[in-house]
Amino acid sequence: MTDPMIKSAWAALGGDPELLARLVSVERPTALISRLPVQRLARACVGTCALAAAELGALRAGLGAVPRAVVDDGAVATAFHSERVLRIDGRAPVNFAPLSRWWRAGYGWVRTHANYPHHRLRLLGALGLPDGADPEDVERLFLERSALEIEEAVYAAGGLAVALRTPGQWVAHPQGAEVAQRPLVERAPIGAASARELPPLDGKSAPLLPAAGLRVLDLTRVLAGPVATRTLALLGADVLRVDGPELPELADQHADTGFGKRSTTLELSADTKVLEELLASADVVVTGYRPGALDRFGLSPEALSERFPGLVVAQVSAWGAYGPWRERRGFDSLVQVATGIAATEGSTMEPGALPAQALDHGSGYLMAAGILRALGERSRDGQGRLVRLALARTAHWLTNEAGPDPSLGGPKYEEEAWLAERDSPLGRLRYARPPVSFTGGPTDWAAPPVPWGSSAATWS
């Protein structure tokens, strides 16, 4: 029997329920241990992505039946830890900076995120501290204020800090109430129709690459967006990641999510001509910034669909493109804090966390699935599509709609079975193998990650 969570994810993507018979799950009960059904969420997100890939591959190759998709908990759990299992010449990655952590406030708990230098400076500035201040200085000042006061003060300074809330407090919060009313995956036609046929694929060639020949402009950062575009690269898309030269990505994070992609830098306000040339030949544009942050560059869904009919535009954000928190920055760890997940996973002594950054990874695979389904729909009507997700809405799905996880106990899965090694321009890499799998599909990325900003701003 198909897990209801897989059914709900596939329904949110607009998929034909009869195709769920083509998805096979290999369950390993102790892959992701949590009070919340994180393993089921991970399985549903990756499984529906694999099914969407198989569906698009069958469409483009003219196959009589959709290939069988397989979702294995071992591969999924390892991939959901990809930023942790990565090794570069044997070195473990650095995932959190010293000021990205839990703090006890004068009343309550607060979690900060300061991995990027500009976020660290804003956090310290909100507290009146100089760059280079010790964590002990921050701790002392936090103990003088309530968690909610810290949240508002740091947000006003452009930094990132979120007060711990219980599930009930989040449900009663205006943003929580707004999130609950939205679909898990927002999908809608946009702009005028434009004939954009998907070139047919040779169904006998191996591997079957559903996204072959498609161009994806990747304007994302951190985890959810890059996971989505990394998946599209696995499936054959030409993915060009674009960053502003003044905002370099964290090196280890870039290595983890850069498989199969090229990486370039553009000053969006100055390199307008180059950006327009890239957009004119793109099939998909993926953004992962705060809603509205890129609008001044003509990158809103409305502006893009007007200039480039038939374009698929995908967006992911922390809190959603609606509600009082729509303009706030956020990351997986902070969304867990606000939505009650950290309270649920913690104890009376201190807050907890999910066993993986499951909101980021899950939303990333769901977004890739939404893009694949949008491309299939576009091939029939020429209509552009908007696909939009929010980490907070994925959190609501986990905490309020999933139900309990019936899979407890059983043998521990062996993580090593789902790891691979290869050389790269960054060094010798040990990494998580891709979890998206279907009969005849790819088993690894065609290329390793490249150094940040090292590629030309052109399509390959």
Side-chain angles (χ1 to χ4, degrees):
M1 185 173 109
T2 303
D3 187 318
M5 233 173 154
I6 293 178
K7 288 182 179 179
S8 67
W10 188 241
L13 294 166
D16 180 353
E18 292 189 4
L19 286 182
L20 288 171
R22 305 299 298 161
L23 177 62
V24 176
S25 298
V26 180
E27 298 185 13
R28 302 178 190 274
T30 57
L32 289 170
I33 303 299
S34 176
R35 291 176 182 169
L36 292 165
V38 136
Q39 185 169 321
R40 289 178 57 218
L41 175 143
R43 187 188 304 141
C45 294
V46 174
T48 51
C49 185
L51 189 56
E55 179 190 35
L56 184 62
L59 174 67
R60 296 189 63 189
L63 303 181
V66 171
R68 188 184 71 159
V70 179
V71 56
D72 190 305
D73 283 354
V76 171
T78 307
F80 268 54
H81 290 126
S82 65
E83 72 279 4
R84 300 182 194 177
V85 302
L86 178 72
R87 296 293 182 270
I88 305 173
D89 288 331
R91 177 183 61 80
V94 177
N95 291 314
F96 285 99
L99 296 185
S100 295
R101 48 168 275 198
W102 282 107
W103 309 84
R104 189 184 292 276
Y107 180 78
W109 289 85
V110 66
R111 173 118 191 183
T112 55
H113 195 289
N115 283 2
Y116 290 101
H118 58 293
H119 290 157
R120 185 189 70 247
L121 289 173
R122 291 168 185 171
L123 170 63
L124 295 173
L127 301 173
L129 293 172
D131 187 16
D134 295 328
E136 291 76 14
D137 297 324
V138 176
E139 189 170 37
R140 173 178 51 82
L141 291 175
F142 275 8
L143 287 170
E144 298 174 357
R145 307 186 193 184
S146 74
L148 289 174
E149 289 173 336
I150 295 167
E151 177 182 277
E152 290 305 315
V154 175
Y155 166 68
L160 293 126
V162 173
L164 178 69
R165 289 173 172 82
T166 65
Q169 289 171 331
W170 178 246
V171 168
H173 190 280
Q175 187 65 31
E178 187 71 32
V179 165
Q181 298 175 26
R182 302 287 176 151
L184 176 60
V185 181
E186 295 185 77
R187 306 165 54 254
I190 54 172
S194 175
R196 289 203 184 198
E197 295 184 2
L198 290 172
L201 299 177
D202 181 0
K204 297 181 180 179
S205 64
L208 178 62
L209 299 173
L214 300 176
R215 291 172 168 173
V216 178
L217 196 62
D218 180 0
L219 300 167
T220 68
R221 290 173 72 80
V222 195
L223 218 50
V227 164
T229 52
R230 181 181 69 184
T231 302
L232 296 177
L234 168 74
L235 299 172
D238 180 6
V239 179
L240 179 63
R241 170 155 170 176
V242 176
D243 288 283
E246 76 285 359
L247 290 176
E249 182 59 284
L250 303 175
D252 292 346
Q253 197 163 262
H254 176 75
D256 171 49
T257 59
F259 282 86
K261 309 179 191 178
R262 291 177 300 115
S263 170
T264 194
T265 60
L266 280 180
E267 181 59 63
L268 297 184
S269 59
D271 296 324
T272 304
K273 182 179 179 181
V274 176
L275 179 63
E276 290 294 300
E277 290 175 350
L278 291 171
L279 289 167
S281 299
D283 294 280
V284 180
V285 174
V286 187
T287 68
Y289 292 77
R290 287 176 300 129
L294 299 178
D295 289 5
R296 68 185 185 278
F297 304 115
L299 295 170
S300 70
E302 297 76 16
L304 286 170
S305 64
E306 182 178 348
R307 299 202 310 280
F308 308 105
L311 191 66
V312 173
V313 181
Q315 296 182 319
V316 62
S317 62
W319 310 108
Y322 39 75
W325 281 20
R326 63 185 176 276
E327 295 183 353
R328 293 201 176 195
R329 298 171 177 85
F331 296 95
D332 182 302
S333 59
L334 302 184
V335 175
Q336 290 190 41
V337 175
T339 59
I341 290 174
T344 299
E345 295 292 333
S347 67
T348 56
M349 300 297 294
E350 60 184 8
L354 298 176
Q357 294 190 67
L359 305 181
D360 260 334
H361 285 275
S363 298
Y365 288 108
L366 276 180
M367 184 158 73
I371 291 168
L372 294 168
R373 296 225 68 255
L375 289 166
E377 293 169 344
R378 189 190 70 177
S379 70
R380 291 185 281 271
D381 61 17
Q383 188 81 38
R385 294 291 192 282
L386 172 63
V387 178
R388 184 179 276 157
L389 289 95
L391 303 189
R393 183 58 182 84
T394 304
H396 180 80
W397 182 42
L398 175 67
T399 57
N400 292 275
E401 300 173 0
D405 189 343
S407 301
L408 299 174
K412 179 171 172 44
Y413 84 104
E414 297 296 330
E415 185 178 80
E416 291 73 17
W418 310 103
L419 299 174
E421 291 193 12
R422 70 196 299 177
D423 290 320
S424 80
L426 306 177
R428 181 72 177 175
L429 301 181
R430 188 197 77 170
Y431 60 97
R433 289 161 46 194
V436 174
S437 176
F438 59 93
T439 302
T443 58
D444 205 344
W445 289 275
V450 299
W452 181 84
S454 63
S455 307
T458 58
W459 297 112
S460 60

